[in-house]
Every structure is written in C-alpha cells, then in structure tokens.
C-alpha cells in the first residue's frame, strides 16, 4: 500500500527537476511513496530527462498548460497514497524533511487532530522564506500585497515550537490527507496559478483541519523558477487577487458580471504594472535621446551660429529628432538590449543604432539634413550613457566560489575562482550528492548565494532570489544561443519570416488539407518550434544550448557536419539564419507543411 503520493507540477524546469527529484529519492523516508509528475506542456527537455533518469516516476503529459491548480487535481486523481504531498519542482528537500512532516501528521492524528503540514522554506541564500506561513488575506493586507511585494500583515512568523500553527500553507509544500483534500474540493481550478493554495487552506480549516509548518522540515525553494515570468506572471497573479477578493469579500453577489469586473480590473492592473515595469527603459532611452539632440542643437546653435534658436525646432527639426529617437529604441529592442540578462553588453552593440540612424539621415532630402554635428553628438551622448548603465547594472562580476570539497572540475564549468576563504567568496558551492541538511546547518548564517552542482547534468545552477531568473552555468554557457539577447534576436527574426509567409502567400495555408503549415507557424510564434536550427534531442552526443525543435534542422541540409552545428550554436547571428532561409526557402516551406 502506498502511504505518500508526491505530486509535482512541471513547466519548463529542466535545470531544476533533476535536483528536486534527487533530493526526494535521497530522503530518509520510512514509508512507501510514489512520485507523480504532471507536465504542463513543457517546451524544454524536462520530460525526456525525467523519463531517462527516473524510470519509476509516473509522468502525465498535458497537451496544453492547464495551470497549477488543475494539474495538481490531475495528480490527486491518479494518486494511490493516503497522503498527498504537493511540492514545486524548484525545491530541494533536506534529507529529514519528508519524514519529519510525515511523522508530524501521524503524531497529531494519533492525538485526534486532523492536520495539513508544510515545510519551512529557505531561499537561494538559505534565509527563511516568509511565504512558508501566511495569514488569510483581508482587504487591507490584500491592498498592501497589491501595491507592495512586502505585503504588510500578510506573512506570519513561526513560533519556537517544532510545529507552528498557520492560516495558509503554500502550494509549494503541502502535505494533506487525500480524503480531506477531495472533500474540500481540491484546488479551485478557477485559479490558473497563485491564490489556489489560500482558497484550499481556507476550506480545509472550515472542515476542522489544522494547518502547521514543520520547522524541522527544511527545503530550499528557488522561488519564481517554476512559475510564469513577465506578463504571464502579472496577468495571473493579479487576476487571482481579484478572484479571491470577489469570492471572499463580496460573496453575496453571484453576478457573473461583478465577478468579471473584479477579475478584469485586477488583470488590467497587473498588465498595466507589467507594461510600466517593462517600458521604463525604452521610454528613458527615448527621452534621453530627445533631450540629447535638443541640448546639442541648442549649444551648437549658440556657440557656432551665434543664435541658440538657429534651428527650426517646431516645424522641421523636432519631428526628425523624435523619429530618430523612436528608431534608436526600436533598434535596441531588435538587438535584445531590453531582455533581462546578467552579462554586460559590449559597446560595439550600441554602435549599431547610431550607424543606422546616420545612414538614414544621409539619405534624407537636403532640406531635412539640418546638421550632421547635432545628429552625431546627439547620438553619442545617450550611447555612452546606455553603455555606462549596462556596465554598472551588469552582474558580470568575478565569481568566487567557496567549497569544502575538491571542486576544481566543477568550478571550471562556471568560469569561476575557487577559494578556501569564505569571507571573500561571492557564493557557496553545493554538491547534490552530499547532505543538504548538513550544508544548510553549516552555511545558513553566511547569507551567500548557493550554487548547486548537478552531478548527472554536469552543470551549476544558481537562483539567489525570486526577483531574478536563475543562471545555468555549463560547458555551453558561453555559446551565443545560451545568451538571452541572441535568442531574442532569433525568435524575432523567425516570427517576422512567418509573418512574411502569411502576408505574401495568404492562400497558401487555405489549400492545405491538414492545415499543418498554419499550425506550425503558430507554434513558431508561440515558441514551441524554432524555424531553423537544430533539434536538441536528435543531436545525441553533442552538448548544445536548448532550442525548441527546428522546422528546418541544419543537420538535414547537404554538407552539414557535426562541427557546423556546434559552430552555429557558438557563433550564432541572425545573418546565418537569413542565409540558411534564403538558400533553402523552398525546403523550408515544404517542411512547414510536412512537420506534425
């Protein structure tokens, strides 16, 4: 008989799922357990990796991202254990964590108390995560959380006891009796993700189930890595806030329009917040460029022409410099300058925009070419400012790792320096074949980021906080296709090529019997496929940065050798894809209609 079913919802977590499962199977658990993975249509190699390394794990693959709540309910339906444990794939459990929660449940049950229990969570610097224990939201704390990530009155401190009572357990670590879970209705599938654990906690308490956090059960939660990022996060997080407010603060109204108003306004708020957070850098670049043109024009007119109002700003010059500033921002966007990254951008990258703008200026009719000096120096000032900002804002500092074991080979993966003096270290290296409990106990007071070395994956991963995307360091980290900026350029080019195909051949998709071409173009736009490149799963024995499966794999082209594929990944540029696409356009169109 199965005592414990561990249910993990997976979505694009290739770098984490192995660390999570290794920690589970290394646990000192004295009960029969099973592990169930519900994969929400991941686009990376996580499903392949799980199947290869963990044959005993049950995998349920969805053909779409059904969201966290629905996927958890899927797992609960196929689970055979009397207890369910929901955990995130971006967690690593200390050896005693599962056993401690299991024993706490059994002990309290023997005393006649029905409970659900969660772990004490630590972040990527081994510091306590306040999300481990929360209060049920009320309208003031909900507003606080809406406008601030701190959420005053939202988190609840742990007591000095081994078990600390709480009002809300997080879905990242929740052990509950299966019958109680089902009787409470499971996770509400009205929540795509975020908020469903609050709703479930509330219903469990209403059924007489006490909620506790087990302080002896510790796990590291690399917060934010298993969820959606960017606009997906803002949309679903704030929609969940609106939905919870409607269901719990205004539950007298069953009007679908009132519900839609609550969720719609909250979602609009989240979308607006995302736009503002995403747009401030392009807007700043635009304003800096515009002000630079005006300042240089004013000074040049004053000192060279003897008249600060020498240029016809309103009718001729201002529209031009506004257009140049917009063009500067568009070029930066196409280059991937605004993509979140940890590496600093070379100054040569910033020179492309001024070069293009100067060419455009030279092609204008003579009456619009007001001053080459103003245009040139008006571009140099924001260029230097942007470059200096990139240097100051980059995290390309020297990585100095401390390890209490022989780690020379591992550190070489991260291009880091190994030190035996922890006071000068910028991070601590953890080997996932050693005791995590001992590691936490030894280094929790250091406050340094943890870099985890995955033995079988042969890579190092770090995710210090929930506010930054983790960095994976391995033998292909220096390849261009490992760089988010170059991946952005590739996705932008491929989306543009697909748009051109649709515009130039509007009837092409209509006359296909199976409509595969239209479906595949949509999959390129949604990043399920890449248009040109390679299929990581097909290139056995070659270590390459992950790409979605290619419609036109370059390995299928005549004369392509293994070295060409590696060179493509290492020295990628959009010009390579343009050259491949133009030379093999007929084959590309054929493959679009053929691939399924």
């Amino acid at each position: 008989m199965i005592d414990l079913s561990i249910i993990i919802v997976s979505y694009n977590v290739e770098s984490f799922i192995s660390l999570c499962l290794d920690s589970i199977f290394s646990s000192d658990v004295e009960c029969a357990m099973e592990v169930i993975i519900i994969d929400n249509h991941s686009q990376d190699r996580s499903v392949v990796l799980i199947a290869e390394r963990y044959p005993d794990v049950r995998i349920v693959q969805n053909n779409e991202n059904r969201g966290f709540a629905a996927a958890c309910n899927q797992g609960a339906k196929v689970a055979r254990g009397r207890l369910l444990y929901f955990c995130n794939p971006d967690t690593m459990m200390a050896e005693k964590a599962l056993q401690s929660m299991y024993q706490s449940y059994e002990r309290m049950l023997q005393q006649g108390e029905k409970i659900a229990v969660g772990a004490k969570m630590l972040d990527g610097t081994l510091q306590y995560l306040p999300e481990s224990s929360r209060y049920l939201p009320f309208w003031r704390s909900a507003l606080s959380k809406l406008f601030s990530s701190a959420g005053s009155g939202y988190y609840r401190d742990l007591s000095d006891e081994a078990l600390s009572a709480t009002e809300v357990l997080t879905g990242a670590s929740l052990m509950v009796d299966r019958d109680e879970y089902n009787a409470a209705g499971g996770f509400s599938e009205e929540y795509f993700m975020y908020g469903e654990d609050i709703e479930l906690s509330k219903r469990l308490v209403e059924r007489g189930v006490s909620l506790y956090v087990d302080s002896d059960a510790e796990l590291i939660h690399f917060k934010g890595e298993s969820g959606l990022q960017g606009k997906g996060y803002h949309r679903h997080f704030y929609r969940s806030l609106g939905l919870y407010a409607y269901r719990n603060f205004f539950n007298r109204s069953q009007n679908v329009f009132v519900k839609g108003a609550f969720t719609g306004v909250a979602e609009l708020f989240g979308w607006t917040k995302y736009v503002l957070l995403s747009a401030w850098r392009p807007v700043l670049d635009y304003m800096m460029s515009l002000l630079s043109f005006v300042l240089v024009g004013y000074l040049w007119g004053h000192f060279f022409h003897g008249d600060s109002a020498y240029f016809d700003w309103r009718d001729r010059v201002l529209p031009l410099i506004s257009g140049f500033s917009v063009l500067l921002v568009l070029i930066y966007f196409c280059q991937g300058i605004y993509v979140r990254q940890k590496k600093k951008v070379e100054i040569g990258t910033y020179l492309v925009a001024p070069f293009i703008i100067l060419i455009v200026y030279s092609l204008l009719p003579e009456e619009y070419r007001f001053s080459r000096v103003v245009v040139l120096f008006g571009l140099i000032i924001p260029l230097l400012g942007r470059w200096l900002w990139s240097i100051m804002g980059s995290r390309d500092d020297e990585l100095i790792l401390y390890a209490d074991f022989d780690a020379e080979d591992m550190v070489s993966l991260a291009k880091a320096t190994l030190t035996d003096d922890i006071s000068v270290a910028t991070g601590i290296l953890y080997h996932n074949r050693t005791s995590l409990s001992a590691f936490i106990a030894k280094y929790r007071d250091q406050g340094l980021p943890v870099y985890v070395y995955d033995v079988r994956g042969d890579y190092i991963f770090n995710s210090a906080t929930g506010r930054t995307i983790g960095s994976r360091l391995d033998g292909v980290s220096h390849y261009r296709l490992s760089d988010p900026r170059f991946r952005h350029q590739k996705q932008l080019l491929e989306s543009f090529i697909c748009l051109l195909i649709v515009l130039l051949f509007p009837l092409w998709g209509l006359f296909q019997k199976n409509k595969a071409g239209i479906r595949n173009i949509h999959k390129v736009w949604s990043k399920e496929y890449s248009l040109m490149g390679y299929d990581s799963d097909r290139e056995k024995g070659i270590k390459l940065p992950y790409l979605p499966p290619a419609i036109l794999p370059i390995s299928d082209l005549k004369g392509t050798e293994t070295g060409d594929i590696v060179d493509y990944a290492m020295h990628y540029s959009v010009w390579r894809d343009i050259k491949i696409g133009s030379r093999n356009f007929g084959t590309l169109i054929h493959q679009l209609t053929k691939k399924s």
Side-chain angles (χ1 to χ4, degrees):
M1 178 182 175
I2 302 294
D3 296 306
L4 178 64
S5 294
I6 300 174
I7 300 169
I8 303 172
V9 178
S10 169
Y11 179 70
N12 292 337
V13 285
E14 179 186 353
S15 298
F16 282 98
I17 192 66
S18 175
L19 303 175
C20 176
L21 291 174
D22 279 349
S23 72
I24 289 173
F25 289 117
S26 299
S27 297
D28 300 329
V29 184
E30 299 174 4
C31 65
M33 70 175 188
E34 64 175 353
V35 179
I36 302 167
I37 301 285
I38 309 296
D39 184 78
N40 264 337
H41 199 47
S42 293
Q43 301 305 308
D44 60 9
R45 296 187 69 254
S46 49
V47 172
V48 176
L49 182 148
I50 295 166
E52 289 177 351
R53 296 187 186 178
Y54 309 96
D56 294 333
V57 170
R58 298 168 64 189
I59 306 174
V60 178
Q61 289 183 257
N62 291 329
N63 56 11
E64 61 178 347
N65 186 353
R66 296 192 59 196
F68 179 79
C72 283
N73 290 341
Q74 269 186 279
K77 287 177 182 176
V78 299
R80 295 171 292 175
R82 60 187 180 88
L83 286 180
L84 305 177
Y85 179 62
F86 299 95
C87 73
N88 277 17
D90 53 357
T91 58
M92 291 174 56
M93 300 180 195
E95 288 78 10
K96 300 290 186 182
L98 277 175
Q99 181 66 11
S100 181
M101 285 186 284
Y102 179 76
Q103 286 180 335
S104 295
Y105 174 86
E106 291 293 329
R107 184 174 63 254
M108 299 300 283
L109 186 64
Q110 289 175 5
Q111 295 175 12
E113 185 176 3
K114 297 183 295 183
I115 74 166
V117 61
K120 175 184 176 182
M121 299 190 299
L122 311 175
D123 67 12
T125 61
L126 304 183
Q127 305 306 300
Y128 170 66
L129 268 176
E131 287 87 345
S132 302
S133 178
R134 292 173 286 172
Y135 289 106
L136 277 171
F138 56 98
W139 69 270
R140 287 178 181 170
S141 65
L143 284 176
S144 174
K145 186 65 177 174
L146 189 67
F147 292 101
S148 167
S149 59
S152 176
Y154 190 67
Y155 302 121
R156 178 171 178 159
D157 295 332
L158 298 183
S159 69
D160 295 330
E161 303 294 326
L163 287 181
S164 299
T166 186
E167 293 182 9
V168 176
L169 286 173
T170 173
S173 176
L174 170 62
M175 185 177 291
V176 61
D177 180 87
R178 185 175 64 175
D179 292 336
E180 291 293 340
Y181 177 84
N182 290 331
F187 287 112
S188 171
E189 296 185 17
E190 283 193 86
Y191 298 90
F192 185 83
M193 63 188 309
Y194 310 114
E196 69 288 315
D197 48 3
I198 302 176
E199 191 82 37
L200 177 63
S201 295
K202 184 173 180 290
R203 292 201 302 268
L204 286 172
V205 170
E206 289 171 351
R207 288 189 49 78
V209 178
S210 301
L211 308 183
Y212 290 97
V213 175
D214 187 344
S215 297
D216 294 331
E218 293 186 317
L219 61 80
I220 299 176
H221 183 197
F222 297 103
K223 190 172 176 243
E225 297 296 338
S226 64
L228 297 168
Q229 304 291 341
K231 62 183 177 183
Y233 163 78
H234 285 86
R235 175 192 172 193
H236 291 295
F237 178 79
Y238 288 101
R239 182 187 182 280
S240 294
L241 279 182
L243 181 60
Y244 185 85
Y246 165 77
R247 293 180 61 153
N248 294 276
F249 304 150
F250 298 89
N251 55 359
R252 294 177 185 176
S253 171
Q254 299 297 320
N255 192 313
V256 68
F257 295 106
V258 175
K259 176 183 175 183
F262 266 86
T263 56
V265 168
E267 198 170 329
L268 179 62
F269 180 90
W271 184 86
T272 304
K273 184 176 179 180
Y274 166 75
V275 169
L276 292 175
L277 291 174
S278 303
W280 73 267
R281 288 190 297 168
V283 170
L284 183 62
D285 281 335
Y286 172 81
M287 296 301 298
M288 287 292 294
S289 174
L290 196 61
L291 290 173
S292 176
F293 281 126
V294 172
L295 177 63
V296 172
Y298 176 84
L299 294 175
W300 186 249
H302 180 75
F303 290 105
F304 188 77
H305 296 286
D307 181 6
S308 57
Y310 175 79
F311 296 107
D312 182 10
W313 290 102
R314 188 171 65 177
D315 296 331
R316 188 161 60 98
V317 178
L318 192 57
L320 279 173
I321 61 176
S322 296
F324 290 155
S325 299
V326 170
L327 182 57
L328 179 84
V329 170
L330 286 175
I331 294 170
Y332 280 174
F333 171 75
C334 292
Q335 289 180 293
I337 299 295
Y338 301 122
V339 175
R340 282 201 298 173
Q341 54 193 316
K342 295 189 176 183
K343 297 179 181 178
K344 64 175 177 285
V345 180
E346 304 84 359
I347 192 169
T349 303
Y350 293 116
L351 289 172
V352 173
F355 179 72
I356 293 174
I357 291 171
L358 287 171
I359 291 177
V360 171
Y361 173 81
S362 68
L363 296 174
L364 291 173
E366 188 173 351
E367 61 268 25
Y368 291 104
R369 297 200 297 269
F370 57 95
S371 173
R372 284 172 294 184
V373 172
V374 173
V375 174
L376 178 61
F377 284 95
L379 289 167
I380 287 176
I381 293 174
L383 181 149
L384 291 175
R386 198 71 178 77
W387 180 58
L388 290 172
W389 180 277
S390 170
I391 292 175
M392 291 186 293
S394 69
R395 302 180 183 88
D396 207 18
D397 302 326
E398 183 181 5
L399 183 58
I400 305 172
L401 295 180
Y402 172 82
D404 55 8
F405 56 89
D406 184 11
E408 288 290 348
D409 294 338
M410 304 172 197
V411 168
S412 65
L413 283 174
K415 305 291 189 295
T417 302
L418 188 64
T419 180
D420 56 4
D421 182 2
I422 198 168
S423 65
V424 300
T426 58
I428 306 173
L429 191 62
Y430 168 71
H431 191 309
N432 76 329
R433 283 292 183 269
T434 58
S435 170
L436 184 58
S437 299
F439 181 84
I440 292 171
K442 189 173 184 179
Y443 298 114
R444 73 167 73 242
D445 295 331
Q446 296 296 330
L448 290 172
V450 175
Y451 288 77
V452 183
Y453 175 71
D454 180 16
V455 179
R456 287 191 284 184
D458 199 26
Y459 65 85
I460 293 173
F461 203 93
N462 158 257
S463 177
T465 72
R467 295 182 178 275
T468 57
I469 299 293
S471 56
R472 175 172 169 145
L473 307 167
D474 55 25
V476 297
S477 298
H478 61 289
Y479 285 19
R480 281 190 168 183
L481 281 180
S482 293
D483 188 327
R485 189 160 50 88
F486 285 97
R487 295 174 74 91
H488 169 82
Q489 294 174 16
K490 180 176 177 63
Q491 289 163 0
L492 205 62
L493 173 67
E494 293 183 345
S495 296
F496 179 71
I497 291 174
C498 287
L499 180 62
L500 280 181
I501 291 173
V502 172
L503 294 177
L504 294 177
F505 307 101
L507 299 179
W508 166 70
L510 298 178
F511 290 101
Q512 297 173 36
K513 291 182 179 179
N514 58 5
K515 301 294 184 292
I518 297 298
R519 285 199 302 271
N520 288 331
I521 282 178
H522 180 266
K523 287 181 178 180
V524 172
W525 281 334
S526 61
K527 302 176 186 178
E528 293 181 46
Y529 285 161
S530 54
L531 205 56
M532 293 162 284
Y534 49 79
D535 189 334
S536 304
D537 294 334
R538 284 179 49 188
E539 311 300 340
K540 301 295 184 183
I542 310 175
K543 199 164 187 178
L544 297 166
Y546 176 77
L547 275 183
I551 299 289
L552 180 62
I554 59 175
S555 57
D556 290 351
L557 303 178
K558 290 182 180 180
T560 302
E561 299 179 357
T562 299
D564 298 326
I565 300 171
V566 174
D567 187 68
Y568 175 86
M570 186 181 294
H571 302 111
Y572 173 80
S573 73
V574 292
W575 303 111
R576 285 199 170 198
D577 273 354
I578 291 172
K579 187 183 294 185
I580 292 170
S582 59
R583 289 179 176 176
N584 303 276
F585 187 73
T587 307
L588 178 61
I589 295 294
H590 176 70
Q591 288 293 102
L592 271 172
T593 60
K594 181 181 175 183
K595 191 174 182 68
S596 59

